[in-house]
Amino acid sequence: MADATSHDTAGRVAAMPAADPLTPADRYQELFRAVQRARVFDDGKTFVDCIPRQDPQRILERYRAQRHRDDFDLAQFVHAHFDEEKAAASHYTSDPDQSLKAHIDGLWRVLTRRPHEHPADSSILPLPNDYVVPGGRFREIYYWDSYFTMLGLVESGRRDLLAAMADNFAWLIDHYGHVPNGNRSYYLSRSQPPVFALMVALFEQHGLCQALGYLPQLRREYAWWMDGTDDLRRGDAHRHGVRLDDGSVLNRYWDDRDTPREESFLEDETTASRSARPTHEVYRDLRAAAASGWDFSARWCDRADDLSTTRTTAILPVDLNSLLYIAERQLARFSGAAGQREDAAGFASRARARREAMLRWMWDDAQGAFVDFDWQHGRRRELVTAATAAPLFAGLVDDDARAGRVAAAVRQRLLAQGGIATSEVGSGQQWDRPNGWAPLQWLAIKGFARCGQQPLARDIAQRWLHTVGSLYQREGKLVEKYVLNHEDDGAHGGDGGEYPLQDGFGWTNGVTRRLLHEDPGHPAHRACALSRRGA
């Protein structure tokens, strides 16, 4: 961003209500732990999003002064000193004659948040511009969700929101050095799948701005992901980086904290109590799984039915490394365009090295699929997931035979009635069977199309549109995730995980809107809500 623009952005942020500089756990200490362990709120995220009615330090002092009284009531104290952050009232209902496309176009205003409306001293981090949230309990921006949301904003003609969000993400990188999981203080210790390079490509594709202007942010975010990797010895790891036995470097998910997630405090304490490992290791791995966006999945577990066996930091994910390959290729291109020839050559070399390492360590020839690599145990993971399509999406696969084998594996093992399944197993976690998720459909559709597997790409897209259209026709809404095996009355929302199914829903809206644009004859265009229900 230009200096003048950066100055204007900083001024807008300075005018916003200030967030509490501490996370809720750090700010409220024993009060925080008491509230979460007593389950004062059904959802652990509710308290960390609450708005203090007075100075936070004063609330903590009052708690310490009152908590030992015989008549002290914790829930009463909390409700007297905090306000719940309610979901914005939209009064949005589905017109029975409204098409699915029109419904999505109307939802963007419902899901838009304005930073000047943020409450002071809460966990919400200020942003310079309006932004789109996923919906439901997710009342803040989320990093990788937002790219898939942007796909729909383009098709809905909302260039204003797209430009605002571009500025927001650049500001987050300038201010924090990375894009947090979401704009909450308790999310600052981790990120999510690094899709800023994809966002920049989208801005460039649609003439929103000069993509070269985002080179400083692209470089800074990449440096955050690669921090400390140049000094690693073989077999060692530091934060997001691991140096393997052949000297190559690949990346993992990581969270700088090793305590229970504040938004799921009791759940994490309960999970860790079932493990023989040190609790801080379990907490770190649960946090790292949250950073992956796949929270939770058998993908990260030694035993599919036991979340306490999560070992995310021991696993090098095929999709994360595919996204970083995209970033390296883009950094090489932009550096060359900026006349930085030495840097361009360096990033191109890093991309080639990552590709070679992924083909060596993550390609499972016996299965004909890309899989994650367990660097601690020195072996490939056996589970095939929807992430197997990510190297195709990234342009890392340049031979038709390998792409064809991945396509065959997906058809045989992951393709379901309603789209591409998240994984092969039913663990009870939300990022496993029977659920399907919009971002994974998009990566697979575009990955297979890019590698000459257009029939499979079209098949997945058509199945997904049928799934979304079917539920919309019956219930008048879009949801976070879907069961891919339909019942007699059509598609249903997904299940599993730590919270109820959420309506809204940002990335479902975005991917579906884009796919509707690409397939104007699909029957989902004719789906109409049969009853008036809230969005």
Side-chain angles (χ1 to χ4, degrees):
M1 295 186 299
D3 290 343
T5 303
S6 299
H7 179 76
D8 292 344
T9 298
R12 289 197 300 273
V13 172
M16 302 297 175
D20 191 326
L22 300 178
T23 72
D26 292 341
R27 166 62 69 194
Y28 296 110
Q29 301 179 47
E30 65 268 34
L31 171 59
F32 167 83
R33 294 188 292 273
V35 170
Q36 298 294 57
R37 287 171 179 161
R39 191 65 90 180
V40 171
F41 300 100
D42 291 337
D43 186 342
K45 192 175 184 301
T46 302
F47 182 60
V48 293
D49 295 350
C50 274
I51 304 160
R53 292 184 174 181
Q54 55 189 257
D55 177 69
Q57 183 59 34
R58 180 61 178 154
I59 293 175
L60 180 59
E61 291 170 357
R62 288 191 172 185
Y63 171 72
R64 288 170 172 169
Q66 298 176 21
R67 62 177 172 169
H68 295 301
R69 295 177 182 173
D70 292 341
D71 61 348
F72 180 73
D73 185 304
L74 178 61
Q76 187 178 62
F77 179 89
V78 170
H79 290 297
H81 291 83
F82 295 91
D83 290 321
E84 290 186 49
E85 185 179 274
K86 302 292 186 182
S90 67
H91 307 296
Y92 186 74
T93 57
S94 299
D95 187 319
D97 297 322
Q98 189 176 49
S99 70
L100 176 57
K101 184 169 71 172
H103 176 83
I104 294 171
D105 290 346
L107 269 177
W108 298 129
R109 62 177 175 81
V110 177
L111 297 174
T112 299
R113 300 293 177 265
R114 294 168 176 79
H116 69 271
E117 298 173 351
H118 288 174
D121 295 323
S122 72
S123 61
I124 194 80
L125 301 176
L127 289 170
N129 303 299
D130 294 354
Y131 55 92
V132 178
V133 303
R137 75 196 284 269
F138 302 110
R139 298 178 291 265
E140 51 282 311
I141 203 170
Y142 282 82
Y143 182 15
W144 80 310
D145 294 59
S146 296
Y147 169 69
F148 302 98
T149 295
M150 289 174 178
L151 296 172
L153 290 173
V154 168
E155 300 306 331
S156 296
R158 294 303 308 270
R159 291 171 59 88
D160 56 326
L161 275 176
L162 194 66
M165 292 175 71
D167 198 12
N168 283 338
F169 282 102
W171 183 85
L172 285 167
I173 294 171
D174 286 339
H175 195 71
Y176 297 111
H178 70 288
V179 180
N181 186 147
N183 63 317
R184 294 279 183 184
S185 61
Y186 53 83
Y187 285 149
L188 280 170
S189 57
R190 64 177 181 265
S191 187
Q192 274 194 326
V195 293
F196 187 64
L198 297 179
M199 293 179 179
V200 170
L202 188 67
F203 307 155
E204 182 180 39
Q205 177 186 352
H206 292 278
L208 186 69
C209 55
Q210 289 295 320
L212 190 59
Y214 289 103
L215 179 58
Q217 288 81 23
L218 287 165
R219 292 179 66 113
R220 189 170 184 190
E221 185 192 36
Y222 180 76
W224 184 83
W225 280 95
M226 302 304 294
D227 176 50
T229 55
D230 290 343
D231 300 324
L232 286 175
R233 295 175 298 181
R234 297 182 185 213
D236 284 351
H238 176 73
R239 299 188 75 214
H240 300 93
V242 177
R243 189 172 294 277
L244 297 169
D245 291 342
D246 64 347
S248 60
V249 173
L250 290 173
N251 288 79
R252 63 178 178 174
Y253 286 107
W254 178 261
D255 189 306
D256 285 334
R257 293 196 173 213
D258 60 0
T259 55
R261 289 170 297 147
E262 298 185 23
E263 71 280 12
S264 301
F265 184 85
L266 185 58
E267 289 86 350
D268 284 2
E269 282 200 329
T270 302
T271 298
S273 70
R274 300 196 305 267
S275 174
R277 291 189 292 154
T279 56
H280 72 274
E281 291 183 9
V282 180
Y283 295 146
R284 176 97 70 192
D285 282 321
L286 292 172
R287 282 176 168 269
S292 78
W294 291 50
D295 45 338
F296 291 97
S297 171
R299 180 183 185 185
W300 314 121
C301 298
D302 283 344
R303 294 195 302 276
D305 62 347
D306 187 354
L307 192 59
S308 72
T309 67
T310 297
R311 295 175 53 248
T312 318
T313 58
I315 297 169
L316 304 177
V318 64
D319 44 357
L320 168 61
N321 284 279
S322 297
L323 292 172
L324 288 170
Y325 173 79
I326 292 172
E328 287 161 343
R329 292 282 302 273
Q330 197 172 80
L331 281 162
R333 181 167 69 92
F334 288 165
S335 296
Q340 303 166 4
R341 288 181 292 180
E342 185 175 343
D343 287 344
F347 286 120
S349 176
R350 284 175 176 261
R352 288 192 299 271
R354 188 181 299 275
R355 179 181 182 274
E356 291 169 5
M358 290 179 67
L359 291 175
R360 175 174 182 180
W361 299 106
M362 295 175 168
W363 173 251
D364 188 324
D365 198 58
Q367 300 197 80
F370 287 95
V371 295
D372 302 327
F373 186 76
D374 186 329
W375 68 274
Q376 289 184 350
H377 290 165
R379 60 174 180 257
R380 296 181 189 92
R381 305 278 286 182
E382 294 182 0
L383 185 66
V384 174
T385 73
T388 195
L392 282 66
F393 177 86
L396 190 142
V397 176
D398 57 7
D399 61 285
D400 293 342
R402 198 188 305 264
R405 294 193 66 195
V406 176
V410 166
R411 278 198 179 277
Q412 180 181 358
R413 302 170 69 169
L414 295 175
L415 191 63
Q417 180 183 6
I420 183 173
T422 307
S423 79
E424 299 179 90
V425 302
S427 67
Q429 298 301 329
Q430 62 176 352
W431 286 86
D432 284 312
R433 278 189 185 268
N435 292 339
W437 297 78
L440 303 185
Q441 312 303 312
W442 181 258
L443 294 179
I445 291 164
K446 294 304 171 182
F448 287 121
R450 180 171 189 167
C451 293
Q453 298 293 324
Q454 285 86 356
L456 178 55
R458 286 194 297 271
D459 193 9
I460 296 170
Q462 289 171 356
R463 291 172 188 239
W464 180 253
L465 285 177
H466 177 70
T467 297
V468 177
S470 172
L471 189 143
Y472 174 69
Q473 178 120 355
R474 188 182 65 254
E475 300 187 22
K477 63 184 181 181
L478 290 86
V479 296
E480 178 187 22
K481 55 186 179 283
Y482 293 78
V483 174
L484 294 184
N485 297 317
H486 301 171
E487 298 183 13
D488 291 342
D489 61 346
H492 285 256
D495 202 353
E498 298 176 324
Y499 55 85
L501 178 69
Q502 301 296 299
D503 300 346
F505 194 86
W507 59 20
T508 305
N509 303 344
V511 170
T512 301
R513 185 66 175 82
R514 178 64 177 266
L515 293 177
L516 287 170
H517 171 77
E518 294 181 357
D519 189 353
H522 194 281
H525 281 276
R526 299 188 293 276
C528 294
L530 297 181
S531 60
R532 293 181 178 271
R533 295 172 184 250

